[in-house]
Amino acid sequence: MFRGRIVRVVCYYRDASLLEMIISTFRKLLIDIDWVYGRKVSDDGLYEVVLGVRDSRNFKTAVLDLSNTVNVEVVEVLGDSEGGNYITNESINGNEVVKIYIPKTDIKECYSWGEVCG
Amino acid sequence: MPSGAKLVVEAIRREGVKAIFGIPGLSNMPIYDELIEYLREEEIKHILMKHEQGAAHAADGYARVSGSPGVCTATSGPGALNLVTGLATAYWDNSPVVAITGQVPRASMGRKSFQEADVVGVMQHIAKYVVEIREATEIPLWIKNAFYIALTGKPGPVVVDIPRDLLSTNVDSVEWPEKPVVKGYKVFKSVINPNDVMRAVKILLEAEKPIILVGAGVFWSNASDEVLKLSELLVCPIVSTLLGKAAIPHDYPLYLGVMGYYGRAEANMAFLESDVVLVVGARLSDRTLPSFNDLVSSDKKLIVVNIDPTDVMKLPVKVDVKIYGDAKEVLKMLIDAVLGLGRKVGRVEWVSRVKELKNYYSRYYYRDDGYGLKPWKVLKTIRDVLPRDAIVTTGVGQHQMIAMNFWEVLEPRTFLTSGGIGTMGFGLPAAIGAKVARPDKVVVDIDGDGSFLMTMNNLATTIDYNIPVIVVIFDNRSLGLVRQVQQLFFKGRIVGVDFGSSPDYVKLAESFGALGFDVSDYNDLRKAFKVALSEGVTSVIRVPIMRDEYALPTLPPGGSLKEVIVCVQGKNC
């Protein structure tokens, strides 16, 4: 189980500054990021970016700021249930070179341009 | 086949732009080349500023006065980077500005090319949005999108960065979009729940000591009439934020002034004593409410009206009624609800207490020991010679805090200042923007010497383009506000703030072709203004202010509103 906070950002990709904006929203509020992964969801440029960030008193502010960022459709705060998986790639001489934690999550709350759900 | 540059200029024209503030350089030169025809036809004006920071402030000033986006342009690298402070100023104060920057050609990127800078990387943290154009065909849509993003929701600056090779690319077929298309951008919904409105009205009617705190949201939504009407109906005093000051005519008898860090003591005290606060279009920044303990420790009820729900969600205090919507719309509904209930309130005691506070603190403000010119009296003298609708801008510093408390705004949208981020040098270029937006109005920049010197090169622009503004310099040969803080809170250890005898402001003004005045008393000041107003030429009026004048009231750093300092021993105590 991941001991920080997990955030899923559903957003439209225009250029790679999208990732900078997401990451810097946390950086500007002194919140460290433990891991991040992202993928394209649809052909019209919809992406999801999932981040594991350290808990912080600024966490809510970061989420709210992100939810008002141009190109960001919605920000979900995910609950990390027990039973997340690690995917490892042991392709080089049996050494573990890539290790990705895929949390098993559910949406606790979400924010989109002033609207709240969850 | 139009070029990318032609598309830029035509797209801007289609957005109704009448003026562009900027400086040409290698990377935005194709835009200027296309602009020539529009200038000849007088469809668009170009105002050549003397530094890009000034261009951004001028666009900001234009936007604040007109309510339409102000436009500025700069070349790549240093030109674009010089816009940063001006755009950050607009962002903090929610002013709609569109900046169009040239970028080095795509083939030159990443080589530390001449005048190359990562505009997206730099600007995305100080603007509402930044877009790098990838294809010339995208230009019409993204110019439209830029204006849409800048003006809607919570307004703010948008930067469109365009590589030079795209400006020179010819486009086969042009599609002019009818509507903006921005994925992942939504305008805040104004969904006003009538039950919330009714709850708010009931709380306000049942209150003994209600107060309305007016923020910039009232200014941007043109809701001055509505807020005054509600105040009258509820017999409810008004206090404001620094930016909210521009929304309230100060001759309204229930207006107490700006509250907060350097705010008027009676406004702070009335806020503290109130039992219900209706906050309209204010985010309760650290300048307005330096310590939330002032709210937490009271049992006052809080009703907040804001277009941006996340502003309210960020508040670390309990909010009794939250209404998310445009200030004007919400205020109209509140007024209708009050009228519908038909209940009248007297609040004789509360109004009397508010007047008592006003009278009590006035004895500290309006003193004249005959030792030098008094800033409050200087402002009063200026107010008396100006028309009601004269527009005033300020720089940042002691003079700004003094203007905040003692400049009387008599018409909405006539007071422009950098309230959020506090940018010195805002005054003169913002005045230029204001005068371009409203050439029929008298525009005065009330500035400090430190602030004026930061962007005073734009005096040349006012002469070259016949944009007559009047600059009043509160000259204390010092960075007065920092000096004051050093004196009061750093044990009087004065360091790095005092200027020498340079420059001579009269000669400086004259060297630019402006009129220069050096006044020594209030009568001189009156005369200087009369000449400046009748000549219709940019004028610089130097008003000597003693170095040890303070901008009071103030609070100790991080202090509570309760700790307001209205006088200092040996000065005005």
Side-chain angles (χ1 to χ4, degrees):
Chain A
M1 189 170 174
F2 176 62
R3 293 194 182 279
R5 307 294 296 267
I6 300 171
V7 178
R8 178 171 176 261
V9 185
V10 179
C11 44
Y12 284 95
Y13 184 94
R14 158 92 194 152
D15 59 39
S17 68
L18 176 69
L19 294 170
E20 292 175 1
M21 277 302 286
I22 292 169
I23 289 167
S24 70
T25 302
F26 293 98
R27 188 263 303 156
K28 280 184 265 190
L29 287 161
L30 312 179
I31 299 171
D32 290 312
I33 298 170
D34 279 334
W35 51 263
V36 55
Y37 71 81
R39 68 188 181 103
K40 189 174 177 182
V41 176
S42 74
D43 287 340
D44 69 341
L46 194 67
Y47 277 66
E48 70 164 6
V49 179
V50 185
L51 306 99
V53 305
R54 304 268 176 91
D55 208 357
S56 159
R57 60 195 293 186
N58 294 331
F59 177 73
K60 182 81 178 277
T61 303
V63 167
L64 293 173
D65 284 349
L66 199 48
S67 74
N68 279 358
T69 300
V70 178
N71 291 146
V72 172
E73 186 68 17
V74 63
V75 182
E76 297 167 350
V77 179
L78 305 179
D80 187 9
S81 314
E82 300 257 358
N85 292 317
Y86 285 94
I87 299 174
T88 56
N89 179 345
E90 299 176 1
S91 60
I92 303 172
N93 299 328
N95 292 326
E96 190 179 280
V97 292
V98 178
K99 187 173 182 177
I100 302 173
Y101 175 68
I102 306 292
K104 187 180 171 188
T105 57
D106 52 357
I107 299 171
K108 285 174 74 179
E109 56 204 57
C110 65
Y111 301 89
S112 174
W113 294 93
E115 291 177 53
V116 183
C117 57
Chain B
M1 284 196 294
S3 66
K6 171 76 178 174
L7 296 181
V8 170
V9 181
E10 179 56 25
I12 287 169
R13 187 196 65 80
R14 286 171 183 241
E15 291 300 320
V17 172
K18 302 286 180 219
I20 300 176
F21 303 90
I23 301 181
L26 186 61
S27 292
N28 65 345
M29 225 181 269
I31 297 174
Y32 275 84
D33 189 52
E34 293 294 344
L35 193 57
I36 290 174
E37 299 306 322
Y38 295 79
L39 299 177
R40 280 186 190 143
E41 297 295 320
E42 296 185 351
E43 285 186 90
I44 299 177
K45 275 185 204 165
H46 172 258
I47 293 102
L48 175 61
M49 302 299 289
K50 298 299 175 279
H51 187 283
E52 289 84 354
Q53 181 186 346
H57 287 324
D60 185 350
Y62 182 97
R64 293 188 202 211
V65 166
S66 67
S68 304
V71 179
C72 56
T73 182
T75 191
S76 58
L81 295 178
N82 282 343
L83 290 173
V84 168
T85 306
L87 294 178
T89 306
Y91 189 37
W92 256 247
D93 289 349
N94 300 119
S95 181
V97 170
V98 172
I100 295 165
T101 52
Q103 181 55 276
V104 298
R106 288 173 295 172
S108 304
M109 287 178 176
R111 299 182 190 175
K112 282 196 178 172
S113 299
F114 178 69
Q115 294 192 329
E116 181 187 2
D118 174 14
V119 166
V120 174
V122 171
M123 303 280 199
Q124 65 185 344
H125 306 293
I126 55 93
K128 186 172 174 184
Y129 192 58
V130 187
V131 61
E132 180 84 53
I133 298 297
R134 295 288 185 90
E135 300 291 339
T137 50
E138 296 182 317
I139 288 171
L141 178 61
W142 275 103
I143 296 286
K144 181 166 260 321
N145 287 346
F147 280 80
Y148 173 65
I149 295 169
L151 197 57
T152 53
K154 205 185 247 189
V158 175
V159 182
V160 184
D161 193 47
I162 313 175
R164 191 166 82 237
D165 56 312
L166 294 181
L167 291 172
S168 307
T169 299
N170 290 326
V171 175
D172 289 336
S173 68
V174 183
E175 283 183 37
W176 294 102
E178 286 184 14
K179 288 182 180 171
V181 181
V182 188
K183 290 178 183 171
Y185 174 68
K186 297 178 200 165
V187 173
F188 297 117
K189 279 186 186 165
S190 197
V191 184
I192 306 162
N193 183 338
N195 292 335
D196 290 337
V197 170
M198 196 49 75
R199 273 173 57 217
V201 164
K202 282 184 178 163
I203 291 172
L204 285 162
L205 286 170
E206 282 161 19
E208 286 180 15
K209 295 181 282 184
I211 204 158
I212 301 174
L213 168 57
V214 167
V218 174
F219 170 93
W220 286 113
S221 83
N222 291 315
S224 301
D225 289 346
E226 286 74 12
V227 87
L228 295 182
K229 175 80 178 162
L230 186 66
S231 162
E232 273 171 23
L233 282 173
L234 294 170
V235 193
C236 186
I238 297 174
V239 295
S240 75
T241 65
L242 171 54
L243 294 178
K245 174 184 172 76
I248 305 297
H250 292 18
D251 49 0
Y252 178 66
L254 289 179
Y255 179 61
L256 291 170
V258 176
M259 64 170 282
Y261 208 98
Y262 286 92
R264 289 185 75 126
E266 60 268 42
N268 287 345
M269 289 303 149
F271 179 86
L272 288 169
E273 289 182 20
S274 65
D275 58 355
V276 173
V277 183
L278 169 63
V279 182
V280 189
R283 62 189 164 91
L284 295 178
S285 76
D286 54 338
R287 281 309 247 200
T288 302
L289 196 59
S291 168
F292 276 101
N293 286 336
D294 285 338
L295 272 180
V296 174
S297 61
S298 75
D299 55 0
K300 68 172 88 272
K301 290 198 166 114
L302 200 56
I303 302 162
V304 181
V305 176
N306 201 308
I307 187 89
D308 178 358
T310 63
D311 267 356
V312 186
M313 291 176 209
K314 284 180 194 169
L315 292 176
V317 290
K318 180 176 161 265
V319 178
D320 296 88
V321 184
K322 304 162 189 169
I323 306 178
Y324 302 135
D326 172 70
K328 194 176 185 89
E329 206 180 329
V330 176
L331 286 164
K332 276 183 180 170
M333 289 179 76
L334 289 168
I335 290 165
D336 288 346
V338 174
L339 291 171
L341 287 173
R343 267 177 60 189
K344 291 201 172 166
V345 283
R347 300 209 171 101
V348 178
E349 275 183 41
W350 179 225
V351 171
S352 157
R353 172 63 181 152
V354 161
K355 281 184 183 158
E356 185 186 13
L357 286 168
K358 236 176 169 175
N359 291 337
Y360 175 79
Y361 288 110
S362 289
R363 66 184 183 168
Y364 291 104
Y365 303 149
Y366 303 110
R367 288 189 174 184
D368 188 352
D369 54 10
Y371 175 64
L373 296 175
K374 298 292 139 190
W376 68 267
K377 213 166 179 177
V378 170
L379 292 180
K380 187 174 182 318
T381 306
I382 298 170
R383 179 73 274 181
D384 288 346
V385 296
L386 289 185
R388 275 183 74 86
D389 62 355
I391 296 167
V392 161
T393 66
T394 79
V396 165
Q398 237 176 1
H399 72 281
Q400 180 197 29
M401 299 298 100
I402 291 163
M404 174 174 93
N405 284 327
F406 302 110
W407 177 254
E408 288 216 327
V409 170
L410 297 177
E411 299 281 340
R413 282 188 184 270
T414 59
F415 183 76
L416 318 184
T417 193
S418 168
I421 205 166
T423 303
M424 291 176 74
F426 176 80
L428 175 59
I432 293 173
K435 186 71 181 175
V436 171
R438 293 304 304 264
D440 55 322
K441 307 262 187 189
V442 173
V443 178
V444 179
D445 167 29
I446 292 172
D447 225 325
D449 49 345
S451 213
F452 172 72
L453 287 171
M454 289 194 177
T455 52
M456 60 87 182
N457 50 358
N458 293 297
L459 275 178
T461 298
T462 70
I463 300 299
D464 291 347
Y465 288 84
N466 189 24
I467 305 168
V469 297
I470 301 173
V471 182
V472 180
I473 303 172
F474 278 46
D475 180 14
N476 59 3
R477 299 280 151 178
S478 174
L479 300 175
L481 202 58
V482 183
R483 192 177 210 282
Q484 170 178 324
V485 172
Q486 289 176 347
Q487 192 71 51
L488 292 177
F489 306 115
F490 284 80
K491 299 177 181 171
R493 290 159 62 85
I494 304 298
V495 56
V497 291
D498 289 341
F499 298 162
S501 58
S502 176
D504 177 326
Y505 288 106
V506 173
K507 285 183 181 166
L508 181 80
E510 287 170 354
S511 76
F512 280 106
L515 298 178
F517 301 89
D518 204 350
V519 304
S520 55
D521 59 38
Y522 304 108
N523 206 31
D524 265 2
L525 179 60
R526 225 169 273 124
K527 282 184 197 160
F529 256 93
K530 279 185 181 160
V531 175
L533 288 168
S534 64
E535 290 295 320
V537 177
T538 289
S539 303
V540 175
I541 303 172
R542 175 196 173 254
V543 179
I545 299 291
M546 304 305 289
R547 214 175 236 173
D548 56 358
E549 280 287 347
Y550 285 158
L552 295 172
T554 186
L555 298 181
S560 150
L561 296 177
K562 293 171 196 153
E563 299 171 85
V564 65
I565 299 166
V566 290
C567 67
V568 174
Q569 207 63 43
K571 287 198 158 296
N572 57 339
C573 274

